[in-house]
Amino acid sequence: MEPLKPRSADPSAGLPAAFSAGPPGAAPAGPPVGPPADLIVEGGRLVTPDGVRDGTVVVRDGRVAALLAPGEPLPPGPRLDAAGRYVLPGLIDSHVHFRTPGLEYKEDWEHGSRAALVGGVTTVMDMPNTRPPSLDESSMLAKAAVIQGTSWIDYRFHMGADPDHPELLAELDPRIACSAKVFMAGHHTAPVVFRDGEQLRRAFAAAARGGVRLVLHAEDQHVFDLLDASSGAPDTYGGYEPHRPRSGGIVAVAHVVRLVREYGTKTHILHVSSAEEADLLSAAAAEGLPLTYEVTGHHLSFTHDDTTRRGPRTRLSPAIRECRDQKRLWQAVLRGEVATLGSDHAPHTVEEKNRPPADAPPGLPGVQELATAVWTGLRTRDIAPDEAAAHLARLMGEGPARLFDLVGKGRLEAGADADLTLLNPSDRWQFSAHDVQALCGWSAYEGWTFTGRFTTTVKGGHVVWDIRDGFSGRPEGHWLQGSARPLEVAR
């Protein structure tokens, strides 16, 4: 790991080689105008809510001050050459497990947030299934205190919904959390599971009263218990997907749709894995229900055949499914049916993953690989670069920012936080273990040839990572408290 570099008071000191006092070999287009900028990201392809276009981003005081068209006069200030690259808003991964507190031997915020920056991600939302789990406001305040000063990126938390105390959701302070995670099925690191139907109903009712968005691992534990009683645990990785089949997700999603229809609870289904789940959820959204869903990079990248051949690295929960499921999930992405992309970044050590099939924990690192893998998949499917960039900005920018009250995030526009990432759209390169920033040191994508590579990440108007110069500054990410808005009344 590179030694941390103190940030100079001079905004141009220690900047990457791409920086200059002005465009190399040419005079600026007209005299400088306006007050000095803290940073000028010049000559890139800007991915904005209004479309993709050439232009320049002017940054002052940690925010986007202006988006300028080519040829407009620029203010004085240090310039970052973005020619030939897309300039995206800093991406949001609304589904990570950075393992703090209690499981820091698998991952920690220093490594996880570095991995995020290299993958173009500047904001994450962390899950509650830690040790102890974050099941109330006091536990989340304690978690924030532990993380403070160790994260390179901004963050929010999903609180854990407690089956024994679902009424807490009705009084959750939105400044601390505006969402709560419900596990409908369990696994190695998810011990707090809603096994009782009445508990789940009470959670939906309380969340509706409190205006809390539920995020769900929607697989039915009773389905899995029934199958376990008759067939037992698998002894091969090829047997894992049939051991945790699509029926668990289909049954759970159908149950959730009924509860959303009854209570009007805002609900977001995580890591949808099958074609049937996507069909049900898209139909429910078309009906007008407040029901959205996420697709992960690994369900778009791998199939059950990969798990059969490669073993534990793609042993996941929900399981990786068939080619037809992967095709339907890509269709949902391209049609705009999917609301967010998530990595479900959930590292385990190599030793843990190499246990026998019945005991190897599900999960993989992914915050670093997510956007690049999806970009590669989009380009492989002949999606034009501008359209592919717009998909990334929607699914890892505007979508999660809107769902989870991330004010100032996810949009490249004047007034937004100056979190930016630069993507070289055509660079072809092979991902290796040497590239992995996560503490676990491995990736399911080792050996993949990616198309597209992030080259620079800007956080709060400062370049915090560049592909040539590495990390600069120190971890200064903030816990993003939500809006202090009145609690909503149940419909």
Side-chain angles (χ1 to χ4, degrees):
M1 181 179 297
E2 304 85 7
L4 303 185
K5 306 173 186 176
R7 180 174 291 136
S8 169
D10 176 359
S12 65
L15 294 174
F19 273 87
S20 67
V33 295
D38 297 328
L39 178 64
I40 300 166
V41 182
E42 185 177 12
R45 190 88 174 132
L46 309 186
V47 187
T48 79
D50 299 322
V52 182
R53 64 181 189 268
D54 293 336
T56 291
V57 183
V58 178
V59 173
R60 294 190 186 96
D61 300 322
R63 295 189 181 277
V64 176
L67 303 180
L68 302 180
E72 287 193 64
L74 303 179
R79 301 186 188 182
L80 174 60
D81 180 13
R85 284 169 287 176
Y86 283 97
V87 181
L88 293 125
L91 301 178
I92 301 165
D93 187 345
S94 52
H95 188 174
V96 304
H97 301 262
F98 279 3
R99 303 301 195 192
T100 301
L103 297 166
E104 292 91 341
Y105 73 93
K106 299 173 188 278
E107 182 62 293
D108 58 29
W109 280 79
E110 170 76 16
H111 289 82
S113 60
R114 281 177 174 250
L117 287 180
V118 176
V121 172
T122 56
T123 301
V124 297
M125 296 190 69
D126 192 55
M127 290 295 173
N129 49 319
T130 51
R131 293 180 182 170
S134 303
L135 299 179
D136 53 30
E137 293 179 2
S138 62
S139 62
M140 286 191 292
L141 290 167
K143 178 175 176 175
V146 172
I147 294 168
Q148 186 174 6
T150 66
S151 178
W152 289 81
I153 58 176
D154 292 340
Y155 47 94
R156 283 209 87 188
F157 306 138
H158 301 288
M159 190 177 84
D162 186 348
D164 295 327
H165 300 285
E167 68 279 359
L168 293 177
L169 298 172
E171 301 175 354
L172 179 58
D173 186 337
R175 292 170 298 181
I176 294 178
C178 65
S179 54
K181 174 74 174 285
V182 172
F183 285 94
M184 295 176 67
H187 54 72
H188 295 64
T189 59
V192 181
V193 178
F194 279 75
R195 296 175 178 271
D196 181 83
E198 182 57 29
Q199 288 176 323
L200 189 63
R201 182 174 294 277
R202 289 169 57 202
F204 270 77
R209 293 197 302 274
V212 173
R213 189 178 303 277
L214 295 182
V215 297
L216 287 99
H217 182 131
E219 293 186 290
D220 191 285
Q221 186 63 49
H222 298 290
V223 169
F224 293 157
D225 290 344
L226 181 65
L227 295 173
D228 287 349
S230 64
S231 60
D235 57 6
T236 67
Y237 289 106
Y240 175 66
E241 193 276 337
H243 172 66
R244 287 292 178 259
R246 68 185 62 240
S247 55
I250 296 166
V251 169
V253 165
H255 191 187
V256 168
V257 170
R258 288 195 296 271
L259 291 172
V260 172
R261 185 178 286 124
E262 181 175 354
Y263 293 104
T265 314
K266 297 178 294 186
T267 304
H268 188 58
I269 306 295
L270 302 170
H271 42 45
V272 168
S273 65
S274 74
E276 291 86 352
E277 292 166 75
D279 290 342
L280 286 170
L281 291 167
S282 296
E287 183 183 304
L289 297 179
L291 190 55
T292 55
Y293 66 99
E294 167 200 88
V295 170
T296 66
H298 44 265
H299 284 108
L300 294 172
S301 298
F302 301 103
T303 69
H304 170 57
D305 290 341
D306 293 302
T307 307
T308 300
R309 290 194 307 268
R310 302 177 62 192
R313 292 196 175 200
T314 54
R315 184 196 190 281
L316 300 167
S317 179
I320 301 290
R321 309 220 182 271
E322 306 297 336
C323 289
R324 70 178 183 89
D325 300 295
Q326 184 187 66
K327 182 178 180 179
R328 177 65 181 95
L329 296 180
W330 271 111
Q331 185 182 64
V333 166
L334 297 174
R335 288 178 175 177
E337 298 169 14
V338 173
T340 67
L341 289 172
S343 69
D344 195 4
H345 178 88
H348 300 282
T349 66
V350 171
E351 291 75 18
E352 288 171 325
K353 292 296 281 185
N354 283 337
R355 291 172 183 168
D359 301 323
L364 50 65
V367 68
Q368 179 179 347
E369 300 93 325
L370 171 61
T372 308
V374 172
W375 176 267
T376 300
L378 289 165
R379 298 296 292 126
T380 300
R381 287 162 177 80
D382 295 323
I383 304 303
D386 281 3
E387 183 182 350
H391 280 302
L392 273 189
R394 174 175 60 85
L395 294 167
M396 295 187 70
E398 297 174 62
R402 181 180 64 255
L403 288 181
F404 300 114
D405 191 29
L406 297 169
V407 178
K409 304 297 185 184
R411 295 168 67 92
L412 180 54
E413 62 186 4
D417 290 357
D419 298 347
L420 311 169
T421 189
L422 275 58
L423 172 67
N424 179 334
S426 57
D427 187 14
R428 286 180 58 81
W429 60 290
Q430 189 173 85
F431 190 79
S432 72
H434 176 75
D435 298 302
V436 174
Q437 296 288 331
L439 180 62
C440 65
W442 63 271
S443 171
Y445 292 90
E446 289 173 41
W448 271 51
T449 297
F450 284 134
T451 297
R453 191 168 194 169
F454 292 96
T455 61
T456 307
T457 302
V458 176
K459 180 76 190 66
H462 298 279
V463 173
V464 288
W465 173 78
D466 179 82
I467 195 168
R468 287 177 290 186
D469 297 330
F471 299 90
S472 62
R474 58 185 182 273
E476 293 180 346
H478 296 97
W479 180 29
L480 301 173
Q481 297 191 20
S483 304
R485 61 185 186 278
L487 298 179
E488 299 177 15
V489 179
R491 298 181 182 180

